[in-house]
Amino acid sequence: MEYHLTLPLTEEERSRLRAGDLVYLSGTVYTARDAGHARLTALLDEGKELPFPLRDAAVYYVGPTPEKPGEIIGSAGPTTSGRMDPYTPRLLDLGLKVIIGKGKRNRAVQEALIRNKALYFAALGGAGALIADCITAAETICWEDLGCEALRKLTIKELPLTLVLDTVGGNLYESGPAAYLASEQQG
Amino acid sequence: MRTIMASRITETVSALCIRANLYLPDDVRDALQKSCREEPWPLARSVLEQLDINQALAAEKSRPICQDTGMACLDVELGQDVHIEGDLEEALQEGVRRGYTEGYLRKSIVADPLRRVNTEDNTPAFITWHLVPGEHLRITMMPKGCGSENMSRLAMLKPADGAEGVRNFVLETVREAGSNPCPPIVLGIGIGGSFDKVAALAKHALLRPLTDRNPDPFYAALEEQWLADINALGIGPQGFGGQTTCLGLAIEAAPTHVAALPAAVCISCHATRRMSAEL
């Protein structure tokens, strides 16, 4: 199925989507990757406030190329999500509802997604030039010392995403190849 | 004896860094477009179409194909009758520094693997030297992303494992990598040598155009067979399922010890970038 949705997604919207659905997503997302997640976790450990509200938030795992003068952002495709697995269940339990990245997640992340009725989407890996056209605003919130890993607030418009992990345990990385191979055997 | 100025080398490397990140090599682009025409699975075909649009847009808008503009892997063939006026190593590093800064490329290198502070100019480049006969200097820049590099593996197999053992190791590596390295992937496979040599072979194999086969018919046949085996796994573009898991693979073999069968698989992504210049 194909959907056009705007963040934050309601529980009804999140529960309706299934692994394999194509979603054109609009709204506000925050960027974080390896170093950003380490800092978010450190802040939580210290009981301090995070630089953005986690409740119903969407996080995009991206470290863009520097924007040229006059550009909003450089190339901005997803990075491999599995490196954020150790940090992710805790963020989901605190209200994070949408994650955008690419590649496999571990069992703990999948369980936390189901438990919190949250979603894991894949953006098109290695298509940073194309994805940049779906980002209409970008603002660095903090951690500029991290360079490409600085925490940014992005406004996305109709960003094409494929749902990989849904709220009922569906996993496109398993069902997609299985469906293709089954079609080959029949073919 | 021929003299080449270090400043010219710096300019060349700087331009290579920028251009390699904007323009997909012809052979990789052709393989991507061919896979798109031949892919029977609709979701896979639509992903491949988007990847082709992405590389065309990158060239048109001078925007990097991928935000991971990589480690600067420089493969340098230095003719032994060349004299460099200036510091060759520093000339190469300065070229990378300039290219990544002036080209608005991402700086992805940390100075230390555990303390992890970014060097902010993407140096140091990782340089592989080949001393060859002649008077030429050939530099190939391969920006290597780490989504794929992280999925690469090395195994010290037993001689009894043979070609079948290496094949199984390759397939297991690709299956384990799954969606992570941005399939459709390109594979460089090293067989033989020593622990360190085999990894270098695998990396070097990624420089061979996808249109070429290993000149040794024995290895050329293995390349054809293993490519077909990988594409039968069904992983597909982005790991969503499909026929197109691997755009091409190259094997490089080297003499080894009687007791050894080292094997290395260096994974690269659909945006396998490389560009050469000869001075």
Side-chain angles (χ1 to χ4, degrees), chain A residues 147-182:
Chain A
C148 68
E149 294 201 58
L151 185 82
R152 291 175 175 85
K153 180 181 179 178
L154 304 183
T155 307
I156 56 172
K157 191 171 178 208
E158 297 274 313
L159 178 64
L161 302 173
T162 306
L163 186 61
V164 172
L165 300 175
D166 61 26
T167 58
V168 293
N171 180 353
L172 180 64
Y173 291 144
E174 287 169 5
S175 61
Y180 163 72
L181 290 173

Side-chain angles (χ1 to χ4, degrees), chain A residues 102-160:
Chain A
K102 55 121 178 158
K104 293 182 282 191
R105 308 311 302 261
N106 67 14
R107 176 62 57 188
V109 171
Q110 189 172 14
E111 284 169 1
L113 288 164
I114 296 166
R115 178 166 75 235
N116 293 291
K117 294 194 170 61
L119 302 171
Y120 171 56
F121 291 97
L124 205 55
L130 192 58
I131 289 172
D133 279 346
C134 300
I135 298 170
T136 58
E139 176 194 349
T140 299
I141 303 277
C142 60
W143 304 336
E144 272 187 78
D145 62 300
L146 295 180
C148 68
E149 294 201 58
L151 185 82
R152 291 175 175 85
K153 180 181 179 178
L154 304 183
T155 307
I156 56 172
K157 191 171 178 208
E158 297 274 313
L159 178 64

Side-chain angles (χ1 to χ4, degrees), chain A residues 63 68 75 77 102 104 129, chain B residues 54 62-64 67 106 176 180:
Chain A
K68 291 181 188 162
S75 288
K102 55 121 178 158
K104 293 182 282 191
Chain B
N54 180 70
S62 295
R63 192 186 282 161
Q67 75 290 338
R106 201 179 80 182
E176 182 57 35
N180 286 10

Side-chain angles (χ1 to χ4, degrees), chain B:
Chain B
M1 180 71 78
R2 188 171 151 240
T3 298
I4 300 176
M5 302 296 289
S7 59
R8 210 178 136 214
I9 295 167
T10 294
E11 283 162 26
T12 301
V13 169
S14 169
L16 283 177
C17 289
I18 296 172
R19 293 176 57 80
N21 272 296
L22 299 179
Y23 306 105
L24 203 61
D26 289 350
D27 62 302
V28 179
R29 189 197 58 216
D30 291 349
L32 184 65
Q33 292 174 344
K34 179 167 178 279
S35 75
C36 197
R37 290 191 298 273
E38 294 174 355
E39 175 62 59
W41 194 239
L43 176 57
R45 199 163 52 238
S46 102
V47 167
L48 293 169
E49 282 166 5
Q50 294 295 305
L51 297 181
D52 187 36
I53 291 170
N54 180 70
Q55 66 80 20
L57 188 74
E60 184 197 320
K61 296 212 170 177
S62 295
R63 192 186 282 161
I65 299 165
C66 176
Q67 75 290 338
D68 189 349
T69 51
M71 309 175 264
C73 297
L74 294 176
D75 190 86
V76 180
E77 258 180 40
L78 178 63
Q80 61 195 16
D81 293 328
V82 173
H83 167 70
I84 307 291
E85 188 130 329
D87 183 331
L88 175 55
E89 160 102 30
E90 181 44 37
L92 295 168
Q93 299 292 358
E94 180 59 22
V96 169
R97 194 171 288 126
R98 272 195 217 165
Y100 273 74
T101 306
E102 291 169 11
Y104 295 90
L105 304 176
R106 201 179 80 182
K107 289 79 181 173
S108 309
I109 301 298
V110 292
D112 181 276
L114 295 179
R115 287 168 291 190
R116 309 201 72 83
V117 176
N118 199 301
T119 63
E120 294 182 359
D121 59 12
N122 219 52
T123 63
F126 303 132
I127 305 170
T128 305
W129 301 100
H130 308 274
L131 198 56
V132 297
E135 289 195 322
H136 74 281
L137 172 64
R138 185 179 167 82
I139 303 168
T140 302
M141 160 63 180
M142 176 165 60
K144 185 70 171 66
C146 244
S148 59
E149 188 82 349
N150 278 343
M151 297 294 109
S152 302
R153 292 210 300 171
L154 191 155
M156 301 303 284
L157 301 174
K158 296 178 185 68
D161 293 329
E164 191 61 16
V166 180
R167 172 190 170 274
N168 291 341
F169 173 64
V170 171
L171 289 182
E172 189 188 301
T173 300
V174 171
R175 199 183 285 117
E176 182 57 35
S179 55
N180 286 10
C182 288
I185 53 176
V186 172
L187 289 185
I189 298 167
I191 308 174
S194 53
F195 179 77
D196 55 323
K197 174 88 175 165
V198 76
L201 286 173
K203 189 56 122 344
H204 192 260
L206 289 174
L207 299 179
R208 194 204 300 162
L210 302 184
T211 42
D212 295 1
R213 293 270 62 87
N214 189 300
D216 179 340
F218 172 78
Y219 283 107
L222 291 182
E223 288 173 352
E224 301 271 358
Q225 185 55 53
W226 293 0
L227 180 61
D229 293 344
I230 289 166
N231 283 324
L233 292 175
I235 295 167
Q238 302 283 313
F240 298 161
Q243 169 181 277
T244 314
T245 299
C246 183
L247 293 176
L249 67 78
I251 299 173
E252 285 200 12
T256 190
H257 189 278
V258 284
L261 177 52
V265 182
C266 190
I267 303 189
S268 186
C269 56
H270 62 78
T272 291
R273 292 148 285 175
R274 45 177 145 72
M275 194 168 277
S276 303
E278 193 161 318
L279 296 177

